[in-house]
């Protein structure tokens, strides 16, 4: 082998050596507490899922998994933190379609790339969005709400706290040919609190956050974004019953910074899949209106790319402008 051939092999050999060194250093992973960054606030569906997973991972792996909420910029602050963290297995990311699929179309500038800067580990769950209104709103069904909005163009408002709650709102406005004001918040619980207070008439909320408020009578559910009714709210009809083709599911997934050693990713994937297969965990997810959904890292990578394209198409079709 001549000198030129050796030089051409050098970068690959160096990368192989570095990866081997990283794997050796993480052979006893985790040997200290692990941080799970969550890009949305306490009480959000994202936060609830992350804390459940952190508790189970702590039990199974014998180390503390700490949830670190980094709120702001539609989840981009938390995503940026993870994207630029040391890829040693001690920073993880439990996030949603907002940061990994929608933000590139919602924001003019991102300091992270949802594909290039993260290593997929596993999907965690799916959730439909629940359309809720303040009890004072004179509409008990979606057709009545659409009629009300048409009688008061530009007078009604809808809140949102993530792409999973903003986009279905814009889809409703677009599909029903109505004029409503969009009111964005940093997190879903903040948005829902203002709907409960009557400051905003309605919103789409994730099931984990909205379901307790519906049961308490603080808001009224009049539609759901899944194709079929939710088992926990069988009397709430799918929006597609009124607006054919209307369907959108949000999702949660587990990632690590790009370059995290393969042995850590494999271990996390195996443990996560075992957790999600546990009957008690499945029941807890189901009680929150979530559908447990695990995957291989490769399956999540393929899914993530397809979702990036899908959310981009939806955002363009509804006319949401990037900020």
């Amino acid at each position: 082998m001549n000198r030129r051939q050796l030089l051409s092999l050098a970068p690959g050999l160096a990368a192989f050596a570095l990866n081997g060194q990283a794997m050796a250093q993480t052979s006893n992973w985790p040997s200290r507490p692990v941080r799970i960054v969550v890009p949305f606030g306490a009480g959000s569906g994202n936060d609830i899922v992350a804390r459940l997973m952190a508790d189970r991972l702590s039990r199974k792996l014998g180390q503390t998994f700490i949830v670190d909420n980094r709120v702001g910029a539609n989840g981009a602050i938390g995503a940026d933190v993870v994207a630029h963290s040391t890829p040693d297995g001690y920073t993880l990311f439990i996030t949603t379609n907002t940061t990994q699929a929608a933000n590139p179309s919602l924001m003019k500038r991102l300091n992270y790339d949802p594909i290039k800067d993260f290593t997929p580990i596993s999907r965690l769950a799916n959730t439909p969005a629940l359309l809720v209104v303040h009890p004072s709103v004179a509409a008990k069904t979606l057709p009545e709400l659409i009629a009300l909005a048409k009688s008061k163009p530009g007078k009604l408002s809808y809140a949102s706290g993530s792409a999973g709650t903003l986009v279905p709102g814009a889809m409703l406005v677009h599909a029903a040919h109505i004029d409503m004001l969009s009111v964005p918040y940093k997190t879903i619980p903040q948005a829902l609190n203002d709907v409960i207070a009557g400051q905003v008439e309605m919103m789409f909320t994730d099931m984990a956050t909205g379901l307790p408020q519906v049961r308490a009578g603080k808001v009224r559910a009049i539609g759901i974004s899944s194709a079929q009714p939710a088992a926990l709210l069988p009397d709430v009809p799918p929006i597609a019953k009124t607006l054919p083709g209307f369907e959108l599911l949000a999702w949660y997934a587990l990632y690590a910074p790009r370059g995290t050693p393969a042995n850590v990713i494999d271990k996390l994937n195996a443990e996560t899949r075992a957790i999600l297969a546990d009957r008690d965990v499945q029941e807890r997810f189901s009680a929150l209106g979530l559908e447990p959904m695990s995957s291989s890292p490769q399956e999540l990578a393929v899914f993530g790319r397809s979702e990036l394209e899908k959310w981009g198409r939806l955002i363009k079709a509804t006319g949401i402008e990037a900020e």
Side-chain angles (χ1 to χ4, degrees):
M1 184 177 292
N2 60 38
R3 186 170 183 272
R4 179 175 293 179
Q5 290 172 316
L6 285 171
L7 287 173
S8 69
L9 289 173
L13 291 171
F16 180 80
L18 286 171
N19 189 54
Q21 183 181 27
M23 291 183 69
Q25 291 173 346
T26 56
S27 59
N28 63 339
W29 180 92
S31 59
R32 54 186 171 86
V34 178
R35 175 177 64 155
I36 300 177
V37 173
V38 173
F40 294 102
S44 64
N46 191 171
D47 178 72
I48 293 169
V49 168
R51 291 184 186 279
L52 193 155
M53 292 301 300
D55 174 67
R56 292 298 172 138
L57 286 168
S58 296
R59 293 189 208 179
K60 291 180 73 68
L61 294 173
Q63 276 293 345
T64 302
F65 282 69
I66 303 166
V67 173
D68 180 9
N69 298 90
R70 296 296 186 96
V71 182
N74 214 33
I77 289 175
D80 183 47
V81 167
V82 177
H84 296 95
S85 293
T86 303
D88 56 6
Y90 292 94
T91 297
L92 303 176
F93 194 33
I94 290 184
T95 188
T96 74
N97 47 274
T98 294
T99 63
Q100 305 309 102
N103 273 353
S105 296
L106 291 174
M107 305 180 73
K108 291 180 179 178
R109 181 180 178 183
L110 285 178
N111 292 325
Y112 71 94
D113 185 302
I115 302 299
K116 296 179 181 178
D117 290 338
F118 302 91
T119 298
I121 299 173
S122 176
R123 293 175 67 178
L124 299 176
N126 289 337
T127 179
L130 190 63
L131 177 58
V132 299
V133 300
H134 186 268
S136 66
V137 173
K140 294 186 177 181
T141 66
L142 181 56
E144 289 177 358
L145 178 64
I146 293 171
L148 180 64
K150 287 184 175 180
S151 72
K152 299 180 178 182
K155 300 297 184 181
L156 301 182
S157 56
Y158 65 95
S160 63
S162 68
T165 58
L166 169 65
V167 175
M171 288 171 61
L172 174 62
V173 168
H174 179 75
H177 305 290
I178 54 179
D179 180 12
M180 291 198 297
L181 176 65
S182 172
V183 184
Y185 291 79
K186 285 186 178 180
T187 68
I188 293 172
Q190 284 182 341
L192 188 56
N193 283 341
D194 268 10
V195 176
I196 292 170
Q199 300 298 316
V200 186
E201 284 83 6
M202 71 199 76
M203 72 174 291
F204 280 91
T205 175
D206 63 77
M207 288 284 287
T209 308
L211 188 60
Q213 308 307 328
V214 172
R215 287 173 168 165
K218 294 181 179 180
V219 290
R220 182 167 62 246
I222 63 172
I224 195 165
S225 69
S226 52
Q228 302 296 326
L232 298 176
L233 294 170
D235 295 330
V236 177
I239 294 171
K241 187 175 180 180
T242 301
L243 300 171
F246 192 110
E247 182 180 6
L248 187 64
L249 295 178
W251 47 268
Y252 306 100
L254 174 61
Y255 294 85
R258 178 65 64 185
T260 299
N263 61 321
V264 173
I265 300 300
D266 291 343
K267 189 171 186 177
L268 275 166
N269 178 261
E271 296 295 351
T272 297
R273 298 182 84 160
I275 289 169
L276 293 173
D278 181 85
R279 179 170 294 181
D280 179 62
V281 172
Q282 290 181 347
E283 290 176 353
R284 291 188 65 180
F285 270 56
S286 296
L288 295 167
L290 307 176
E291 178 189 9
M293 181 71 65
S294 65
S295 72
S296 69
Q298 295 77 18
E299 288 168 340
L300 176 54
V302 172
F303 176 74
R305 289 187 176 90
S306 68
E307 287 289 289
L308 186 65
E309 295 177 2
K310 183 182 87 174
W311 284 80
R313 289 194 306 270
L314 287 172
I315 290 165
K316 182 178 180 179
T318 55
I320 301 173
E321 294 185 5
E323 297 181 355

